[in-house]
Amino acid sequence: MICTTKAIVLNNKKFSDSSLICNIYSEEYGKVSIIAKGARAIKNPNGAILAPLNHIDLIYYYKPKRNIQLFKEATIINKYYDIENSYNKILYSIIIADIINYVSYEQSPCNIIFRLINSSLRCINKSNDNMVIYYYIFFKLQLLIYLGYQPLLNKCVRCNQKINSGLFDNQLGQLVCIQCSKGQTQLSKESLQALSELSNMHIKDIANKLITSLEIMLEIKKYLFKFILYHIPELKKSKAFIAFNNK
């Protein structure tokens, strides 16, 4: 069967003398692994087309019993040139792709996740370097919400009292008040407010409506790292994600 879909290239790796194996997240079919034979040959344009983070129109041959599908052809819809020219943008964007690669199941499409990846990369591409972390945190938060792991921000999960600031509880995987604390990763009042705003904000409004400091965003980044590893342990397998958040 021939499948046609829009897709984001998550990663690729060399195979044999001239081929590439790619993990892609497609609009119609979800995560798919494909092999592009001869893509690394000097005169073959598919090596450039299948570069990580490219938004492409993809055609491939699908067989249900085959784990890696056979690439037919593709064209680029959007190549994020500004991401390629910034180390900071590349770093955050590759981590986004790695998160999707580890949390997604083969052949489980989700149009919401596809749009989230695309809009996050598009905003990172056109943003200033100091705004990249804002879009990265928005991506992680919205992904958690869609997957059913929305952080509880208003009440302590141990005593059920309203909190203005709290700590991540390593046993329960949510915020607790200072009195009930069994963790060390703290969220200040400002961080809680920023997280609450991001939970209900459109990505296009972040640059103009989210007013908070880089220090607060780094505090949120640290908290969400603990949160996502607790609720989605598959990400412990991602060496890039672990290294990026532990530095």
Side-chain angles (χ1 to χ4, degrees), residues 25-39:
Y25 194 88
S26 68
E27 186 175 32
E28 301 293 332
Y29 307 103
K31 180 183 169 184
V32 180
S33 296
I34 59 171
I35 181 168
K37 295 182 178 180

Side-chain angles (χ1 to χ4, degrees), residues 139-158:
F139 163 81
K140 285 207 298 184
L141 182 59
Q142 294 298 324
L143 180 65
L144 284 167
I145 291 171
Y146 177 76
L147 294 176
Y149 301 114
Q150 182 168 3
L152 303 177
L153 305 174
N154 298 320
K155 293 183 179 181
C156 170
V157 294
R158 287 191 178 272

Side-chain angles (χ1 to χ4, degrees), residues 15-30:
F15 182 77
S16 70
D17 292 333
S18 61
S19 300
L20 281 175
I21 292 178
C22 305
N23 288 320
I24 60 102
Y25 194 88
S26 68
E27 186 175 32
E28 301 293 332
Y29 307 103

Side-chain angles (χ1 to χ4, degrees), residues 165-184:
S165 64
L167 292 97
F168 180 76
D169 189 296
N170 297 317
Q171 294 179 358
L172 299 177
Q174 291 284 358
L175 278 180
V176 296
C177 64
I178 305 299
Q179 290 75 18
C180 296
S181 170
K182 292 184 181 296
Q184 296 179 336

Side-chain angles (χ1 to χ4, degrees), residues 84-120:
E84 290 184 351
N85 293 326
S86 164
Y87 173 77
N88 196 43
K89 291 182 179 182
I90 290 173
L91 188 58
Y92 278 97
S93 299
I94 290 297
I95 297 301
I96 285 174
D98 215 40
I99 290 172
I100 293 297
N101 187 44
Y102 278 96
V103 305
S104 301
Y105 296 100
E106 296 278 347
Q107 304 293 327
S108 298
C110 176
N111 190 257
I112 293 174
I113 291 179
F114 181 80
R115 293 202 311 269
L116 176 62
I117 303 166
N118 221 0
S119 60
S120 299

